[in-house]
Each structure stands twice: as structure tokens, then as C-alpha cells.
Amino acid sequence: MADNLTNTAENLSLDWINGVGTPTRPTTPLKVALVTANGSDTAAGTEVTGGSYARQNLSENLSVAAAVSGATSNSADLVWTGMPAATVVGVEVWDSAGTPVRLWYGSLSASRTVAAGDELQLTAGSLTLSLA
């Protein structure tokens, strides 16, 4: 998800780099959400609902490697089981605050259609997060 930071994440990053304001570090673990309609810098996409769907941890249980050349990726498979029938077109990364903050968003390279009860998997290294 190159350069797909939300406006909120862009502002937090710039404030931190420039040493201004009081940027708050996102609450971990970061969570990956699946969406059936993509969001934008300012608006969340339409998140999958139903079945056994739940956001998956990106950090903590699944480590994310230190960034290299302005990017990092998931180091383990992300797996959603018991999916509802859906066509997944993208992902979003949220923190785990009491009121979660959306940090990244992006389209999948190809949408994925799943039937009720199916599993959807993003293999290790397939979710790339970058600032470039």
C-alpha cells in the first residue's frame, strides 16, 4: 500500500518527524480489516461483516519487520476463516484504540470472491506498507 496513509497518519508522521505537536503513537496491535468497497484518505471503506470475520493482528502476534528502503510487510500469513460471502477489494490497517484510528488503506492487486465459510489468506510478505 504505497503512499496510502490516511490524512490522520500523514499528519501524525509529519508532526513526529518535525518534532511539533504531540503525536500519539498508534495503539497496538495494529489490525488488518478487509473491505468490499475501498476507502480514501478521509473516509473508511466498507468493511466485511458476518460469518466469523474479525480483523486480524498485523503486529504483536504477527511481527512486522523493521522498515528497509521505506517499506515493511507482514512476516506471517494473515488468515480469515469462516468468511461470509463477499468480494474483497482491499484492506485497511487500524490501531486498537478504544476508538480505533485508521492508518492505511489500499486495493488488493486483484479482488477476491469468497463463499460463505471460505478462508481468505494474505501470504507472508504480500501486504507491503510503505511511505514511498
Side-chain angles (χ1 to χ4, degrees), residues 9-25 131:
E10 289 170 348
N11 292 339
L12 288 170
S13 299
L14 285 169
D15 287 350
W16 181 81
I17 289 168
N18 290 308
V20 298
T22 54
T24 302
R25 184 177 179 161
L131 299 178

Side-chain angles (χ1 to χ4, degrees), residues 31-38 45-49 53-56 78-81 83-84 86-94 108 112 114 119-122:
K31 302 275 189 172
V32 179
L34 302 175
V35 296
T36 58
N38 285 310
T46 304
E47 188 168 0
V48 170
T49 59
Y53 170 80
R55 293 177 182 178
Q56 296 297 304
L78 292 163
V79 180
W80 290 264
T81 59
M83 289 286 294
T87 298
V88 177
V89 299
V91 298
E92 296 184 341
V93 177
W94 295 72
L108 296 176
R112 298 190 187 176
V114 293
E119 174 181 288
L120 189 141
Q121 182 177 48
L122 297 179

